[in-house]
Amino acid sequence: MKPSKLILPVIVLSQFCCTSLWFAGNGVMRDLVATFGLSESAVGHLTSAVQFGFIVGTLVFAILSIADRFSPSKVFFTCAILGALFNLGVVWEGNSLGSLLSFRFFTGFFLAGIYPVGMKIAADYFEKGLGKSLGYLVGALVVGTAFPHLLKEMTHTLSWKAVLMATSSLAVLGGTLMVSLVPDGPFRKPSQKIELSAFFKVFQNSNFRSAAFGYFGHMWELYTFWAFVPIMLTTYTLLHPTTTFNIPLLSFLIIGIGGVACVLGGYLSQGIGTKRVAFMALLLSGACCLMSPLLFAQGSQVLFVAFLIFWGMVVIADSPLFSTLVAQNASAEIKGTALTIVNCIGFAITIVSIQLINEMRTLTNSNMVYMLLALGPILGLVALISKNSTSKVK
């Protein structure tokens, strides 16, 4: 059965609407600090709370095989509603740091039923051309990631409470669109029982293992790069005092352009192979990590911004392709669980990477610290070219 042409646009729109919950707090972080009298250190804690909630959520969803045992669209809808409610809890005037952390944690927890489940829904519809489909899907997430930086330009016209209400409303809309217009896909094979062994069983497949370890290497670099883009821009202006950057707008552009790269990577994969395009993107992003100190030292601000834009494209272009390889090398009955497991481990790695670079920046002013991000791409490339990693998807 050929899926309706509306299916993919609805999945992509729903994904964007719901994943806006993820970064809503970042867009109003300064307002939260001022309104609730928080210390500056609370910023890092609130950001990490969402990531930690997502990791715990994906672990629970994977162990219980939620996305494979129940209708993925209904799981998506339920999590969109619950995520929207917890996101809205931040506007409560009686909040303390503890309650804010709880609200952001549970927002992240229910995002585990949105991001990987959205990919599972796409995989249930598009066996052929899955790389292209997931390219659009991850592209939507990337634009959502960049959106808070654009919000910083707009918050003088919108109150911070209005921003949170708007993102919660978008999530409800996205969940409703998904459950109303996207029934279970033709390639879905529901699992009838909890597969507690699935967490370990999926890694017995060498092709799956190769794709997963490539993804883990990619994740070591990705979120740390995104987190430090504004800091990189600020650092460059301090090194070159004549430079003037609109940092929120440039941050939005550098991160957001990755959404276009995801789509382009998806189309390229149809012509020259999913694994090959993922390998090239990982190689190029690793090269950017190693070259970054040279770009900080040179004096052309145009060249520096162009470099960051290029890095912003190649750092994410491989993400939907690795997810495609993961989905295509997992058995149909545990495909949703497999995607969720890989997401869980990948996002746990991001916390380690972010904390490492953050700690290194307190120990040294050298911009060579960003070279440490190359460790992920190097290990990911090794996994892809190892003799046991000849994927069935070329």
Side-chain angles (χ1 to χ4, degrees):
M1 185 180 85
K2 189 176 181 180
S4 162
K5 290 182 178 179
L6 283 176
I7 291 292
L8 183 58
V10 171
I11 296 174
V12 170
L13 179 60
S14 298
Q15 186 85 312
F16 170 76
C17 288
C18 293
T19 51
S20 67
L21 294 175
W22 207 322
F23 310 100
N26 297 61
V28 297
M29 195 66 78
R30 289 181 182 175
D31 297 281
L32 296 182
V33 169
T35 303
F36 297 107
L38 307 177
S39 66
E40 284 300 319
S41 64
V43 173
H45 298 320
L46 287 168
T47 303
S48 296
V50 183
Q51 299 289 87
F52 186 56
F54 181 81
I55 292 164
V56 173
T58 49
L59 185 62
V60 170
F61 275 59
I63 290 171
L64 299 179
S65 303
I66 298 293
D68 293 306
R69 292 170 55 223
F70 303 100
S71 166
S73 295
K74 291 178 181 176
V75 172
F76 189 100
F77 171 73
T78 303
C79 290
I81 298 299
L82 292 170
L85 287 173
F86 280 106
N87 182 62
L88 204 56
V90 175
V91 306
W92 178 44
E93 292 181 1
N95 272 318
S96 62
L97 177 59
S99 61
L100 287 170
L101 287 171
S102 298
F103 284 131
R104 295 310 291 158
F105 172 87
F106 283 107
T107 301
F109 183 94
F110 288 108
L111 279 162
I114 293 170
Y115 177 45
V117 173
M119 289 195 290
K120 152 73 173 167
I121 293 168
D124 286 344
Y125 272 95
F126 305 98
E127 276 201 330
K128 292 183 178 179
L130 182 59
K132 182 184 73 173
S133 302
L134 292 187
Y136 280 106
L137 208 61
V138 177
L141 173 71
V142 174
V143 176
T145 306
F147 196 55
H149 297 289
L150 191 61
L151 280 178
K152 287 180 182 178
E153 287 288 283
M154 300 164 55
T155 47
H156 61 282
T157 57
L158 290 172
S159 74
W160 65 272
K161 289 186 178 181
V163 171
L164 291 169
M165 290 176 186
T167 50
S168 285
S169 300
L170 278 175
V172 172
L173 172 63
T176 304
L177 287 172
M178 187 73 88
V179 78
S180 304
L181 302 176
V182 186
D184 292 343
F187 299 111
R188 178 177 181 248
K189 291 185 180 179
S191 175
Q192 300 302 319
K193 60 185 187 299
I194 296 175
E195 292 254 11
L196 293 177
S197 63
F199 202 102
F200 304 100
K201 191 166 71 175
V202 289
F203 286 99
Q204 293 172 2
N205 180 328
S206 62
N207 292 328
F208 178 91
R209 201 163 56 241
S210 166
F213 278 83
Y215 178 80
F216 299 154
H218 144 82
M219 288 296 279
W220 172 268
E221 178 192 8
L222 175 64
Y223 271 80
T224 306
F225 171 75
W226 280 351
F228 283 90
V229 162
I231 294 169
M232 290 179 184
L233 291 167
T234 302
T235 301
Y236 189 85
T237 60
L238 294 173
L239 290 171
H240 306 276
T242 57
T243 302
T244 53
F245 285 151
N246 183 331
I247 290 174
L249 196 59
L250 279 176
S251 298
F252 170 76
L253 177 63
I254 290 161
I255 298 171
I257 196 71
V260 177
C262 287
V263 175
L264 290 176
Y267 278 100
L268 271 176
S269 71
Q270 292 185 306
I272 61 178
T274 305
K275 190 175 176 182
R276 191 170 287 120
V277 177
F279 183 92
M280 289 192 305
L282 199 57
L283 180 66
L284 289 170
S285 64
C288 287
C289 300
L290 296 174
M291 291 171 57
S292 58
L294 299 175
L295 273 295
F296 279 101
Q298 61 81 40
S300 169
Q301 64 185 49
V302 173
L303 181 59
F304 184 72
V305 171
F307 169 74
L308 289 182
I309 288 173
F310 178 76
W311 195 356
M313 294 181 73
V314 294
V315 75
I316 185 62
D318 49 3
S319 189
L321 304 177
F322 282 125
S323 295
T324 299
L325 292 169
V326 164
Q328 292 177 328
N329 285 292
S331 61
E333 293 81 6
I334 58 170
K335 191 176 292 183
T337 299
L339 284 164
T340 307
I341 289 167
V342 171
N343 268 232
C344 176
I345 298 171
F347 276 85
I349 287 169
T350 67
I351 290 183
V352 178
S353 176
I354 289 170
Q355 293 302 323
L356 174 64
I357 298 299
N358 200 41
E359 188 64 27
M360 290 300 296
R361 288 187 70 256
T362 64
L363 297 175
T364 176
N365 291 324
S366 172
N367 290 309
M368 293 181 73
V369 295
Y370 299 112
M371 294 176 71
L372 290 171
L373 295 180
L375 290 173
I378 289 169
L379 294 175
L381 291 168
V382 169
L384 289 175
I385 63 177
S386 63
K387 62 181 179 181
N388 294 322
S389 66
T390 51
S391 173
K392 71 181 181 182
V393 182
K394 301 297 182 186

